[in-house]
């Protein structure tokens, strides 16, 4: 399994809706509200063979209320 994070910018007033949709979809292992340029930070895990770009495009960015995303790929845990 490989882990990665997605910062999510939501349409105005939609952060709680997006967080709820992520939780309902059961695709994120953790979801946080953040301050700054993005509204949410979500942690995901995919199988080693699964393409992160396709996962984000097909399962995350399709959720209503998402305006923009920024994906952070991780490669080593300490």
């Amino acid at each position: 399994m490989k882990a990665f994070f997605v910062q999510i910018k939501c349409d105005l007033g939609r952060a709680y809706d997006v967080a709820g949709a992520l939780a309902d979809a059961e695709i994120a292992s953790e979801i946080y509200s953040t301050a700054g340029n993005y509204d949410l930070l979500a942690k995901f895990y995919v199988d080693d063979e699964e393409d992160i770009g396709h996962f984000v495009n097909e399962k995350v960015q399709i959720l209503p209320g998402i305006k923009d995303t920024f994906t952070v790929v991780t490669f080593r845990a300490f």
Side-chain angles (χ1 to χ4, degrees), residues 7-70:
Q7 294 181 3
I8 301 168
K9 188 178 295 185
C10 303
D11 291 329
L12 292 177
R14 300 292 308 272
Y16 285 93
D17 296 335
V18 173
L22 277 171
D24 290 345
E26 297 182 351
I27 57 173
S29 66
E30 300 172 45
I31 306 165
Y32 297 95
S33 180
T34 60
N37 293 330
Y38 290 86
D39 303 301
L40 302 171
L41 174 68
K43 183 177 184 180
F44 299 92
Y45 288 95
V46 293
D47 290 329
D48 290 332
E49 325 58 64
E50 190 164 359
D51 183 88
I52 292 172
H54 281 282
F55 179 90
V56 172
N57 187 42
E58 297 165 6
K59 296 187 179 176
V60 179
Q61 292 177 340
I62 63 164
L63 296 174
I66 293 180
K67 186 174 185 174
D68 190 18
T69 63
F70 181 82

